[in-house]
Structure formats: structure tokens, C-alpha cells
Amino acid sequence: MIEEENIPDKVDKLFNTMKNAGEKISQALQENDVDIDTFNSIEKETLNFDLLEKDIEKIHTRIEQDGYSVLGSHLILDNEKDLMEVKTYSQKGEKSFVNTVSATVKKVRNIPADILNEMKTKGRVEISLKFDD
């Protein structure tokens, strides 16, 4: 025989599941401290978009040197906060990690037109990156 649940019990169970999932995700993504001292693509708060890929590849290489598998990176350019942020996701064994590197960026050179248009309309752009080995 199947016992029926009432609606308030179902809502409570669903809420607890969602709450626990958020906590588990934040526990699963631990901060991985990798020393990235400079971006070659940034000079005097000006980002040269053509050089950015090499900087992100350098971050990936540095993380891999410590025995982590790089899953990919997430680039955020925020025009309103004058911020560039690179979040790199990695894994070692069963644990997942995130490494965040940020810099102040007030100007951007050599930016592709589609990315520039999105920055102008939304004020920020987010790009997911995964390089082929």
C-alpha cells in the first residue's frame, strides 16, 4: 500500500531538497588557491582581447601542473564594475574546485563585435571556455 502525502508535506520536502542541493554544490566547489601573478593581456587597466586566450591557457597549465584536471573556465567582463573575472573549474579525484582570478579593466582592445555589442546592451558578458588538448 502506498501512503499518500499531503501538499504541505510535499512542499516542505521539495524546499528541503532544494536547500540541501545548494549547500552540497557550495561544499563540492572548494576554492583552489593557484598563484597567478599577472595577466599579459592587461596593461594599465586595458585588456587586449587578442592576448586573453594565452592567459587563460596559462592558468589551465598552472592548475594542471598541480595534478588537477581542468574542466573549463568562465570569463566575465563587467563594464559597470570595470572588472574581468576568470573562474576556472578543475577536479582532482572526486573533489571539484574553482579558482577565481580577477583584474580591473577599464578599456578593451581587439574585442570581437558580437561581444562588444552584448557588453553595450547588457553591461556585462559571460563566456564559457574549454580548450582542446
Side-chain angles (χ1 to χ4, degrees), residues 44-103:
K44 297 180 184 175
E45 297 181 343
T46 299
L47 169 65
N48 183 341
F49 205 85
D50 287 343
L51 301 176
L52 183 58
E53 183 175 334
K54 293 249 187 246
D55 280 344
I56 295 173
E57 286 175 347
K58 183 174 79 171
I59 293 169
H60 287 200
T61 300
R62 178 66 185 92
I63 290 171
E64 288 170 344
Q65 286 174 348
D66 289 341
Y68 296 84
S69 297
V70 174
L71 304 173
S73 287
H74 191 78
L75 169 69
I76 301 168
L77 292 172
D78 193 318
N79 195 33
E80 295 168 5
K81 296 180 182 176
D82 294 333
L83 175 73
M84 179 186 81
E85 186 174 75
V86 178
K87 291 184 178 199
T88 302
Y89 300 92
S90 60
Q91 187 173 20
K92 191 171 191 177
E94 295 295 317
K95 293 187 177 183
S96 297
F97 301 88
V98 62
N99 178 270
T100 304
V101 183
S102 60

Side-chain angles (χ1 to χ4, degrees), residues 2-11 13:
I2 299 173
E3 187 175 326
E4 291 185 28
E5 292 180 288
N6 62 28
I7 291 179
D9 288 342
K10 285 184 179 185
V11 170
K13 191 181 280 187

Side-chain angles (χ1 to χ4, degrees), residues 8-25:
D9 288 342
K10 285 184 179 185
V11 170
D12 284 344
K13 191 181 280 187
L14 178 62
F15 177 76
N16 287 333
T17 300
M18 290 171 47
K19 180 181 171 201
N20 291 338
E23 290 171 1
K24 287 180 182 179
I25 289 170

